[in-house]
Amino acid sequence: MNFTEAEAYIGEITRTKKISLGLSTMEELLKRLGNPQDGLSFIHIAGTNGKGSTLAFAASVCQAAGFRVGRYHSPSVFSYCEKIQVNGASIREEEAARLISRVRQVSEEMEAEGLSHPTAFETETAVSFLYFAEQRCDLVALETGMGGEGDATNVVKTTVCSVIASVSMDHMQFLGDTQEEIARVKGGIIKEGRPAVLCGQGEAVMGVIREICRERRSPLTVSEPEKAEILETGLWGSRFDYKGFRDVKIPLAGKYQIINACTALEVVEILRNLGYDIGENAVYEGMASVRWPGRFEKLLDQPVFLIDGAHNPEAAERLKDSLNLYFSNRRMIYIMGILADKDYRKIVRITAPLAEQIYTVTPDSPRALPGEALSSWIEEQAKEIGFLGRVQAEDSIRKAVRGALSQAGEDGVIVAFGSLSYLGELSMALKESIHD
Protein backbone atom coordinates (compact mmCIF):
# COMPACT_ATOMS: atom_id res chain seq x y z
CA MET A 1 0.00 0.00 0.00
CA ASN A 2 1.51 3.34 -1.05
CA PHE A 3 0.79 6.65 0.69
CA THR A 4 -2.10 7.61 -1.58
CA GLU A 5 -3.74 4.26 -0.89
CA ALA A 6 -3.04 4.64 2.84
CA GLU A 7 -4.72 8.06 2.90
CA ALA A 8 -7.69 6.61 1.01
CA TYR A 9 -7.97 3.80 3.56
CA ILE A 10 -7.95 6.29 6.45
CA GLY A 11 -10.61 8.31 4.64
CA GLU A 12 -12.74 5.21 4.15
CA ILE A 13 -12.71 4.16 7.79
CA THR A 14 -13.29 7.77 8.85
CA ARG A 15 -16.55 7.65 6.90
CA THR A 16 -17.60 4.13 7.86
CA LYS A 17 -16.36 3.50 11.42
CA LYS A 18 -18.20 5.66 13.91
CA ILE A 19 -16.61 7.13 17.05
CA SER A 20 -17.16 4.92 20.07
CA LEU A 21 -15.39 5.86 23.29
CA GLY A 22 -13.86 2.91 25.11
CA LEU A 23 -10.55 1.06 25.17
CA SER A 24 -11.35 -2.57 24.38
CA THR A 25 -10.78 -2.34 20.61
CA MET A 26 -7.60 -0.30 21.06
CA GLU A 27 -6.24 -2.70 23.67
CA GLU A 28 -6.86 -5.69 21.40
CA LEU A 29 -5.25 -3.94 18.43
CA LEU A 30 -2.13 -2.99 20.37
CA LYS A 31 -1.82 -6.45 21.93
CA ARG A 32 -1.69 -7.95 18.43
CA LEU A 33 0.92 -5.33 17.47
CA GLY A 34 3.14 -6.22 20.44
CA ASN A 35 2.10 -3.32 22.72
CA PRO A 36 4.73 -0.86 21.42
CA GLN A 37 3.45 1.85 23.78
CA ASP A 38 4.65 -0.03 26.86
CA GLY A 39 8.29 0.82 26.13
CA LEU A 40 7.64 4.56 25.88
CA SER A 41 7.35 7.38 28.44
CA PHE A 42 4.48 9.83 27.97
CA ILE A 43 3.51 13.38 28.76
CA HIS A 44 -0.23 12.90 28.28
CA ILE A 45 -2.54 15.87 27.88
CA ALA A 46 -6.31 16.33 27.72
CA GLY A 47 -8.44 19.46 27.59
CA THR A 48 -10.82 21.43 25.41
CA ASN A 49 -8.57 24.31 24.36
CA GLY A 50 -4.84 24.91 24.57
CA LYS A 51 -3.69 21.30 24.84
CA GLY A 52 -1.83 21.36 21.53
CA SER A 53 0.00 24.60 22.31
CA THR A 54 0.86 23.46 25.83
CA LEU A 55 2.27 20.22 24.50
CA ALA A 56 4.19 22.07 21.78
CA PHE A 57 5.93 24.22 24.40
CA ALA A 58 6.81 21.24 26.62
CA ALA A 59 8.04 19.13 23.69
CA SER A 60 10.17 21.97 22.36
CA VAL A 61 11.87 22.44 25.73
CA CYS A 62 12.57 18.71 26.07
CA GLN A 63 14.01 18.61 22.57
CA ALA A 64 16.24 21.61 23.35
CA ALA A 65 17.48 19.70 26.41
CA GLY A 66 18.72 16.90 24.13
CA PHE A 67 15.89 14.38 24.46
CA ARG A 68 14.45 12.55 21.49
CA VAL A 69 10.81 13.62 21.62
CA GLY A 70 7.87 12.10 19.77
CA ARG A 71 4.72 14.10 19.38
CA TYR A 72 1.22 13.00 18.41
CA HIS A 73 -1.63 15.45 17.88
CA SER A 74 -4.67 15.88 15.68
CA PRO A 75 -6.08 17.14 13.47
CA SER A 76 -3.48 18.01 10.86
CA VAL A 77 -3.59 21.47 9.30
CA PHE A 78 -1.19 21.54 6.36
CA SER A 79 -0.23 17.91 5.75
CA TYR A 80 -1.45 14.51 6.91
CA CYS A 81 1.95 13.47 8.23
CA GLU A 82 2.39 16.43 10.59
CA LYS A 83 0.29 14.72 13.27
CA ILE A 84 3.16 12.29 14.00
CA GLN A 85 6.54 13.94 14.61
CA VAL A 86 9.93 13.17 16.14
CA ASN A 87 12.00 16.19 17.17
CA GLY A 88 9.80 18.41 15.04
CA ALA A 89 10.17 16.35 11.84
CA SER A 90 6.99 14.76 10.45
CA ILE A 91 6.88 11.06 9.70
CA ARG A 92 7.78 10.43 6.05
CA GLU A 93 4.96 9.39 3.73
CA GLU A 94 6.53 6.00 2.98
CA GLU A 95 6.91 5.27 6.69
CA ALA A 96 3.31 6.27 7.37
CA ALA A 97 2.10 4.04 4.51
CA ARG A 98 4.16 1.09 5.77
CA LEU A 99 2.81 1.34 9.31
CA ILE A 100 -0.78 2.00 8.25
CA SER A 101 -0.55 -1.15 6.10
CA ARG A 102 0.62 -3.12 9.11
CA VAL A 103 -2.20 -1.84 11.31
CA ARG A 104 -4.74 -2.41 8.53
CA GLN A 105 -3.79 -6.07 8.27
CA VAL A 106 -4.30 -6.61 11.99
CA SER A 107 -7.55 -4.60 11.96
CA GLU A 108 -8.99 -6.72 9.16
CA GLU A 109 -8.01 -9.89 11.01
CA MET A 110 -9.91 -8.57 14.04
CA GLU A 111 -12.98 -7.78 11.96
CA ALA A 112 -12.86 -11.24 10.32
CA GLU A 113 -13.00 -12.74 13.82
CA GLY A 114 -16.14 -10.76 14.63
CA LEU A 115 -14.40 -8.01 16.60
CA SER A 116 -14.84 -4.28 15.99
CA HIS A 117 -12.67 -2.74 13.29
CA PRO A 118 -10.57 0.12 14.79
CA THR A 119 -11.58 3.68 13.93
CA ALA A 120 -9.33 6.07 12.00
CA PHE A 121 -8.13 7.69 15.23
CA GLU A 122 -7.39 4.32 16.82
CA THR A 123 -5.49 3.32 13.69
CA GLU A 124 -3.42 6.51 13.65
CA THR A 125 -2.72 6.29 17.37
CA ALA A 126 -1.41 2.74 16.93
CA VAL A 127 0.73 3.91 14.00
CA SER A 128 2.21 6.66 16.17
CA PHE A 129 3.12 4.19 18.95
CA LEU A 130 4.81 1.86 16.46
CA TYR A 131 6.76 4.75 14.95
CA PHE A 132 7.87 6.25 18.27
CA ALA A 133 9.04 2.82 19.44
CA GLU A 134 11.03 2.33 16.23
CA GLN A 135 12.51 5.81 16.64
CA ARG A 136 13.55 5.06 20.24
CA CYS A 137 11.97 8.21 21.63
CA ASP A 138 12.96 9.24 25.17
CA LEU A 139 9.63 11.02 25.71
CA VAL A 140 6.35 11.18 23.82
CA ALA A 141 4.08 14.23 24.02
CA LEU A 142 0.67 12.63 23.56
CA GLU A 143 -2.55 14.55 22.93
CA THR A 144 -5.97 13.00 23.43
CA GLY A 145 -8.31 13.10 20.47
CA MET A 146 -11.49 13.72 22.43
CA GLY A 147 -12.28 13.37 26.11
CA GLY A 148 -9.79 11.41 28.16
CA GLU A 149 -10.97 8.38 30.10
CA GLY A 150 -12.31 6.50 27.07
CA ASP A 151 -9.99 8.11 24.52
CA ALA A 152 -7.86 5.72 22.45
CA THR A 153 -4.67 7.33 23.78
CA ASN A 154 -5.60 6.38 27.35
CA VAL A 155 -4.35 2.83 26.87
CA VAL A 156 -0.91 4.08 27.91
CA LYS A 157 0.33 2.92 31.31
CA THR A 158 3.77 4.54 31.39
CA THR A 159 2.72 8.17 31.81
CA VAL A 160 5.38 10.40 33.34
CA CYS A 161 3.08 13.39 33.82
CA SER A 162 -0.61 13.95 33.06
CA VAL A 163 -1.72 17.43 32.00
CA ILE A 164 -5.20 18.93 31.93
CA ALA A 165 -5.50 22.10 29.83
CA SER A 166 -8.48 24.46 29.81
CA VAL A 167 -11.81 22.60 30.01
CA SER A 168 -15.03 23.99 28.52
CA MET A 169 -18.19 22.87 26.77
CA ASP A 170 -17.49 20.84 23.62
CA HIS A 171 -18.34 17.35 22.32
CA MET A 172 -21.23 17.27 24.80
CA GLN A 173 -22.91 14.40 22.92
CA PHE A 174 -19.99 12.22 24.03
CA LEU A 175 -18.59 13.80 27.20
CA GLY A 176 -21.44 15.27 29.26
CA ASP A 177 -23.66 18.31 29.64
CA THR A 178 -21.79 20.21 32.38
CA GLN A 179 -18.22 21.39 32.89
CA GLU A 180 -17.93 19.07 35.87
CA GLU A 181 -18.95 16.02 33.81
CA ILE A 182 -16.55 16.94 31.03
CA ALA A 183 -13.72 17.61 33.51
CA ARG A 184 -14.24 14.19 35.07
CA VAL A 185 -13.90 12.54 31.65
CA LYS A 186 -10.78 14.61 30.84
CA GLY A 187 -9.32 13.77 34.25
CA GLY A 188 -9.58 10.09 33.36
CA ILE A 189 -6.05 10.25 31.94
CA ILE A 190 -4.56 10.89 35.40
CA LYS A 191 -2.60 7.83 36.54
CA GLU A 192 -2.27 6.34 40.00
CA GLY A 193 0.64 7.91 41.87
CA ARG A 194 1.91 9.91 38.90
CA PRO A 195 2.13 13.72 38.99
CA ALA A 196 -0.47 15.85 37.24
CA VAL A 197 -0.51 19.47 36.10
CA LEU A 198 -3.73 21.44 35.72
CA CYS A 199 -4.07 24.74 33.90
CA GLY A 200 -5.49 27.16 36.48
CA GLN A 201 -9.16 27.89 35.72
CA GLY A 202 -12.60 27.99 37.32
CA GLU A 203 -13.34 26.15 40.54
CA ALA A 204 -15.89 23.85 38.86
CA VAL A 205 -13.10 22.18 36.92
CA MET A 206 -10.38 22.47 39.53
CA GLY A 207 -12.56 20.87 42.21
CA VAL A 208 -13.18 17.80 40.02
CA ILE A 209 -9.49 17.38 39.12
CA ARG A 210 -8.39 17.80 42.74
CA GLU A 211 -10.84 15.06 43.75
CA ILE A 212 -9.52 12.68 41.07
CA CYS A 213 -5.94 13.37 42.13
CA ARG A 214 -6.79 12.65 45.78
CA GLU A 215 -8.46 9.37 44.80
CA ARG A 216 -5.46 8.31 42.72
CA ARG A 217 -2.77 9.68 45.06
CA SER A 218 -1.50 11.80 42.20
CA PRO A 219 0.48 14.91 43.23
CA LEU A 220 -1.23 17.90 41.63
CA THR A 221 0.33 21.17 40.47
CA VAL A 222 -2.00 23.97 39.37
CA SER A 223 -0.56 26.64 37.08
CA GLU A 224 -1.19 30.26 38.05
CA PRO A 225 -1.21 32.28 34.83
CA GLU A 226 -2.54 35.29 36.71
CA LYS A 227 0.96 35.55 38.25
CA ALA A 228 2.56 35.98 34.83
CA GLU A 229 3.85 39.51 34.30
CA ILE A 230 3.61 40.43 30.63
CA LEU A 231 6.64 42.49 29.60
CA GLU A 232 5.78 42.88 25.92
CA THR A 233 3.28 41.38 23.50
CA GLY A 234 2.48 41.66 19.81
CA LEU A 235 1.84 39.64 16.68
CA TRP A 236 5.43 38.36 16.93
CA GLY A 237 4.65 36.73 20.32
CA SER A 238 5.24 37.75 23.93
CA ARG A 239 7.82 38.23 26.67
CA PHE A 240 6.83 37.55 30.25
CA ASP A 241 7.99 36.58 33.74
CA TYR A 242 6.47 33.61 35.52
CA LYS A 243 7.50 32.64 39.05
CA GLY A 244 11.23 31.84 38.86
CA PHE A 245 11.41 32.21 35.08
CA ARG A 246 12.47 35.63 33.86
CA ASP A 247 11.97 37.19 30.42
CA VAL A 248 10.53 34.07 28.78
CA LYS A 249 10.10 34.67 25.05
CA ILE A 250 7.47 32.82 23.02
CA PRO A 251 6.87 33.28 19.27
CA LEU A 252 3.15 32.39 19.37
CA ALA A 253 0.77 35.35 19.23
CA GLY A 254 -2.38 35.59 21.30
CA LYS A 255 -2.72 36.52 24.95
CA TYR A 256 -3.98 33.02 25.72
CA GLN A 257 -0.66 31.52 24.65
CA ILE A 258 0.90 32.92 27.82
CA ILE A 259 -1.61 30.81 29.77
CA ASN A 260 -0.55 27.71 27.84
CA ALA A 261 3.13 28.58 28.26
CA CYS A 262 2.73 28.85 32.05
CA THR A 263 1.16 25.40 32.16
CA ALA A 264 4.05 24.03 30.07
CA LEU A 265 6.60 25.59 32.44
CA GLU A 266 4.94 23.75 35.34
CA VAL A 267 5.29 20.51 33.35
CA VAL A 268 8.98 21.27 32.83
CA GLU A 269 9.43 21.71 36.58
CA ILE A 270 7.76 18.35 37.20
CA LEU A 271 10.11 16.66 34.71
CA ARG A 272 13.12 18.26 36.41
CA ASN A 273 11.93 16.97 39.78
CA LEU A 274 11.61 13.51 38.26
CA GLY A 275 15.27 13.61 37.25
CA TYR A 276 15.11 14.77 33.65
CA ASP A 277 18.16 16.93 32.92
CA ILE A 278 16.59 20.15 31.59
CA GLY A 279 18.87 23.14 32.06
CA GLU A 280 17.89 26.82 32.12
CA ASN A 281 19.21 27.43 28.63
CA ALA A 282 17.08 24.58 27.26
CA VAL A 283 13.97 26.08 28.85
CA TYR A 284 14.46 29.49 27.26
CA GLU A 285 15.65 28.10 23.94
CA GLY A 286 12.77 25.63 23.73
CA MET A 287 10.11 28.20 24.58
CA ALA A 288 11.55 30.68 22.06
CA SER A 289 11.77 28.17 19.20
CA VAL A 290 8.37 26.48 19.48
CA ARG A 291 6.23 26.13 16.35
CA TRP A 292 2.48 25.51 16.33
CA PRO A 293 0.91 26.39 12.97
CA GLY A 294 -2.69 27.41 12.47
CA ARG A 295 -3.20 29.03 15.85
CA PHE A 296 -3.55 32.81 15.56
CA GLU A 297 -0.91 32.56 12.86
CA LYS A 298 -0.16 35.46 10.54
CA LEU A 299 0.18 34.40 6.89
CA LEU A 300 0.37 37.88 5.34
CA ASP A 301 1.41 41.35 6.49
CA GLN A 302 -0.47 43.61 4.08
CA PRO A 303 -3.30 43.16 4.53
CA VAL A 304 -2.88 41.27 7.77
CA PHE A 305 -4.19 37.74 7.16
CA LEU A 306 -4.61 35.50 10.20
CA ILE A 307 -5.73 31.89 10.56
CA ASP A 308 -6.95 30.38 13.81
CA GLY A 309 -8.51 27.10 14.88
CA ALA A 310 -11.18 28.66 17.12
CA HIS A 311 -13.94 26.03 16.93
CA ASN A 312 -15.86 26.35 20.19
CA PRO A 313 -17.16 29.22 22.37
CA GLU A 314 -14.16 29.40 24.71
CA ALA A 315 -11.74 29.50 21.78
CA ALA A 316 -13.93 32.16 20.15
CA GLU A 317 -13.69 34.29 23.31
CA ARG A 318 -9.91 33.96 23.22
CA LEU A 319 -9.84 34.92 19.56
CA LYS A 320 -12.04 37.96 20.21
CA ASP A 321 -9.79 39.08 23.09
CA SER A 322 -6.69 38.81 20.90
CA LEU A 323 -8.32 40.71 18.03
CA ASN A 324 -9.34 43.50 20.41
CA LEU A 325 -5.82 43.56 21.86
CA TYR A 326 -3.93 43.80 18.57
CA PHE A 327 -6.42 45.36 16.13
CA SER A 328 -8.67 47.76 17.99
CA ASN A 329 -10.54 50.02 15.55
CA ARG A 330 -9.26 48.15 12.46
CA ARG A 331 -11.63 46.95 9.73
CA MET A 332 -12.23 43.22 10.19
CA ILE A 333 -13.11 40.69 7.47
CA TYR A 334 -13.86 37.09 8.43
CA ILE A 335 -13.76 33.82 6.55
CA MET A 336 -15.73 31.29 8.58
CA GLY A 337 -16.00 27.53 8.05
CA ILE A 338 -17.52 25.49 10.88
CA LEU A 339 -18.48 21.88 11.56
CA ALA A 340 -22.19 21.27 12.15
CA ASP A 341 -21.65 19.51 15.49
CA LYS A 342 -20.00 22.61 16.99
CA ASP A 343 -21.87 25.37 18.81
CA TYR A 344 -21.65 27.69 15.81
CA ARG A 345 -24.42 29.96 17.13
CA LYS A 346 -22.37 30.94 20.19
CA ILE A 347 -19.19 31.22 18.14
CA VAL A 348 -20.92 33.68 15.80
CA ARG A 349 -22.51 35.64 18.66
CA ILE A 350 -19.10 36.11 20.26
CA THR A 351 -17.11 37.06 17.17
CA ALA A 352 -19.47 38.57 14.58
CA PRO A 353 -19.93 42.04 16.16
CA LEU A 354 -16.28 42.84 15.35
CA ALA A 355 -16.63 42.11 11.63
CA GLU A 356 -17.45 44.39 8.71
CA GLN A 357 -17.78 41.49 6.27
CA ILE A 358 -18.13 37.73 6.75
CA TYR A 359 -17.52 35.18 4.00
CA THR A 360 -18.82 31.71 4.85
CA VAL A 361 -17.43 28.49 3.35
CA THR A 362 -18.08 24.76 3.63
CA PRO A 363 -15.10 22.82 5.06
CA ASP A 364 -14.15 19.59 3.30
CA SER A 365 -15.54 17.33 6.01
CA PRO A 366 -18.53 15.01 6.30
CA ARG A 367 -19.38 16.94 9.47
CA ALA A 368 -19.30 20.37 7.77
CA LEU A 369 -22.00 22.97 8.22
CA PRO A 370 -22.82 24.24 4.71
CA GLY A 371 -21.62 27.78 4.16
CA GLU A 372 -25.08 28.74 2.88
CA ALA A 373 -26.71 27.57 6.12
CA LEU A 374 -24.21 29.52 8.22
CA SER A 375 -24.69 32.64 6.10
CA SER A 376 -28.49 32.39 6.36
CA TRP A 377 -28.39 32.04 10.13
CA ILE A 378 -26.10 35.06 10.49
CA GLU A 379 -28.41 37.15 8.29
CA GLU A 380 -31.48 36.11 10.30
CA GLN A 381 -29.84 36.83 13.66
CA ALA A 382 -27.76 39.88 12.65
CA LYS A 383 -29.74 42.45 14.63
CA GLU A 384 -29.99 40.29 17.74
CA ILE A 385 -26.25 39.46 17.84
CA GLY A 386 -25.11 43.00 17.01
CA PHE A 387 -23.67 42.26 13.58
CA LEU A 388 -23.90 45.37 11.40
CA GLY A 389 -21.91 44.18 8.41
CA ARG A 390 -22.51 42.01 5.36
CA VAL A 391 -22.40 38.24 5.04
CA GLN A 392 -21.88 36.22 1.87
CA ALA A 393 -21.63 32.48 1.25
CA GLU A 394 -18.99 31.40 -1.25
CA ASP A 395 -19.00 28.06 -3.06
CA SER A 396 -15.22 27.73 -2.83
CA ILE A 397 -12.52 28.67 -0.36
CA ARG A 398 -10.53 30.23 -3.21
CA LYS A 399 -13.40 32.65 -3.96
CA ALA A 400 -13.69 33.56 -0.28
CA VAL A 401 -9.97 34.34 -0.09
CA ARG A 402 -10.10 36.50 -3.22
CA GLY A 403 -13.17 38.34 -1.95
CA ALA A 404 -11.61 38.97 1.44
CA LEU A 405 -8.38 40.28 -0.09
CA SER A 406 -10.32 42.63 -2.34
CA GLN A 407 -12.47 43.84 0.56
CA ALA A 408 -9.57 44.34 2.97
CA GLY A 409 -7.39 46.54 0.79
CA GLU A 410 -4.11 47.34 2.55
CA ASP A 411 -5.34 48.31 6.01
CA GLY A 412 -7.99 45.67 6.73
CA VAL A 413 -7.52 42.54 8.86
CA ILE A 414 -8.65 39.17 7.50
CA VAL A 415 -9.30 36.35 9.99
CA ALA A 416 -10.11 32.80 8.88
CA PHE A 417 -11.38 30.52 11.66
CA GLY A 418 -14.08 28.12 12.82
CA SER A 419 -12.34 24.79 12.17
CA LEU A 420 -8.80 23.62 11.59
CA SER A 421 -10.07 21.28 8.89
CA TYR A 422 -10.05 23.82 6.05
CA LEU A 423 -7.08 26.04 6.98
CA GLY A 424 -4.57 24.03 4.95
CA GLU A 425 -6.66 24.42 1.79
CA LEU A 426 -7.18 28.09 2.60
CA SER A 427 -3.42 28.67 3.00
CA MET A 428 -2.82 27.14 -0.44
CA ALA A 429 -5.59 29.32 -1.92
CA LEU A 430 -3.96 32.40 -0.39
CA LYS A 431 -0.58 31.53 -1.94
CA GLU A 432 -2.21 31.04 -5.33
CA SER A 433 -4.05 34.34 -5.07
CA ILE A 434 -0.89 36.23 -4.18
CA HIS A 435 1.08 34.73 -7.07
CA ASP A 436 -1.66 35.10 -9.72
Side-chain angles (χ1 to χ4, degrees), residues 3-21:
F3 182 68
T4 301
E5 292 167 335
E7 274 196 305
Y9 168 68
I10 293 295
E12 178 190 349
I13 59 176
T14 298
R15 291 187 298 273
T16 59
K17 310 300 178 185
K18 293 185 178 180
I19 295 172
S20 178
L21 296 181

Side-chain angles (χ1 to χ4, degrees), residues 335-336 358-362 371-372 374-375 378 391-394 400:
I335 300 173
M336 296 183 69
I358 298 176
Y359 294 93
T360 63
V361 298
T362 306
E372 294 82 0
L374 178 59
S375 175
I378 295 172
V391 59
Q392 179 176 333
E394 292 288 5

Side-chain angles (χ1 to χ4, degrees), residues 107-129:
S107 298
E108 290 177 347
E109 290 171 358
M110 289 171 58
E111 190 171 41
E113 295 173 21
L115 301 174
S116 295
H117 188 294
T119 64
F121 185 72
E122 288 169 333
T123 298
E124 292 167 339
T125 303
V127 166
S128 77
F129 292 159

Side-chain angles (χ1 to χ4, degrees), residues 39-353:
L40 299 166
S41 298
F42 295 93
I43 304 167
H44 196 188
I45 188 166
T48 309
N49 293 301
K51 59 182 184 289
S53 301
T54 301
L55 216 56
F57 284 121
S60 186
V61 169
C62 292
Q63 181 181 338
F67 295 101
R68 190 162 179 78
V69 184
R71 186 163 165 224
Y72 177 58
H73 67 270
S74 62
S76 299
V77 179
F78 299 113
S79 74
Y80 176 83
C81 290
E82 72 187 37
K83 65 182 65 179
I84 300 174
Q85 301 178 10
V86 173
N87 279 5
S90 300
I91 185 173
R92 297 197 311 275
E93 289 184 356
E94 56 267 32
E95 292 297 301
R98 175 178 62 85
L99 293 174
I100 290 172
S101 296
R102 182 177 170 188
V103 175
R104 177 181 185 174
Q105 180 181 351
V106 173
S107 298
E108 290 177 347
E109 290 171 358
M110 289 171 58
E111 190 171 41
E113 295 173 21
L115 301 174
S116 295
H117 188 294
T119 64
F121 185 72
E122 288 169 333
T123 298
E124 292 167 339
T125 303
V127 166
S128 77
F129 292 159
L130 288 167
Y131 185 65
F132 297 144
E134 289 181 355
Q135 292 290 310
R136 301 181 183 277
C137 290
D138 302 306
L139 282 165
V140 173
L142 179 66
E143 181 181 332
T144 59
M146 180 177 64
E149 186 173 26
D151 187 80
T153 63
N154 205 32
V155 294
V156 300
K157 301 174 183 175
T158 52
T159 300
V160 171
C161 179
S162 304
V163 188
I164 309 296
S166 176
V167 175
S168 63
M169 306 301 288
D170 200 5
H171 298 298
M172 284 89 78
Q173 68 271 41
F174 296 103
L175 307 181
D177 296 323
T178 67
Q179 266 197 315
E180 290 88 348
E181 289 175 335
I182 294 173
R184 187 162 295 281
V185 173
K186 305 280 188 187
I189 70 167
I190 295 170
K191 299 296 186 288
E192 184 78 24
R194 304 308 299 164
V197 174
L198 169 65
C199 174
Q201 52 199 288
E203 188 55 41
V205 172
M206 293 205 291
V208 170
I209 301 302
R210 287 194 188 102
E211 179 186 350
I212 292 172
C213 286
R214 281 195 299 269
E215 292 170 352
R216 300 181 185 180
R217 297 188 296 275
S218 173
L220 176 64
T221 300
V222 180
S223 70
E224 301 174 285
E226 69 277 5
K227 292 187 176 180
E229 182 181 350
I230 301 173
L231 306 176
E232 189 179 5
T233 188
L235 278 182
W236 53 267
S238 298
R239 293 170 46 237
F240 64 96
D241 295 339
Y242 180 66
K243 296 185 176 179
F245 298 100
R246 292 288 178 264
D247 197 12
V248 179
K249 299 179 180 67
I250 59 173
L252 304 185
K255 189 176 179 181
Y256 60 90
Q257 291 295 3
I258 297 174
I259 297 172
N260 299 329
C262 290
T263 305
L265 289 171
E266 298 288 4
V267 174
V268 169
E269 283 296 278
I270 294 293
L271 294 175
R272 284 170 152 180
N273 293 337
L274 292 172
Y276 287 86
D277 185 10
I278 303 174
E280 289 292 309
N281 289 341
V283 175
Y284 291 103
E285 178 187 336
M287 298 296 283
S289 61
V290 71
R291 291 191 68 254
W292 189 221
R295 281 71 177 181
F296 207 74
E297 181 181 10
K298 184 174 67 170
L299 300 184
L300 196 64
D301 286 311
Q302 199 170 27
V304 172
F305 198 122
L306 301 166
I307 58 175
D308 189 76
H311 63 285
N312 56 46
E314 183 187 16
E317 288 282 4
R318 292 181 174 190
L319 174 61
K320 181 187 75 172
D321 289 346
S322 292
L323 292 175
N324 282 327
L325 176 65
Y326 300 126
F327 303 110
S328 179
N329 299 320
R330 295 278 293 274
R331 291 192 308 115
M332 209 79 65
I333 296 93
Y334 291 167
I335 300 173
M336 296 183 69
I338 301 182
L339 302 184
D341 55 2
K342 300 298 179 181
D343 193 349
Y344 65 88
R345 296 175 180 85
K346 280 190 179 178
I347 294 171
V348 170
R349 286 192 179 100
I350 291 165
T351 57

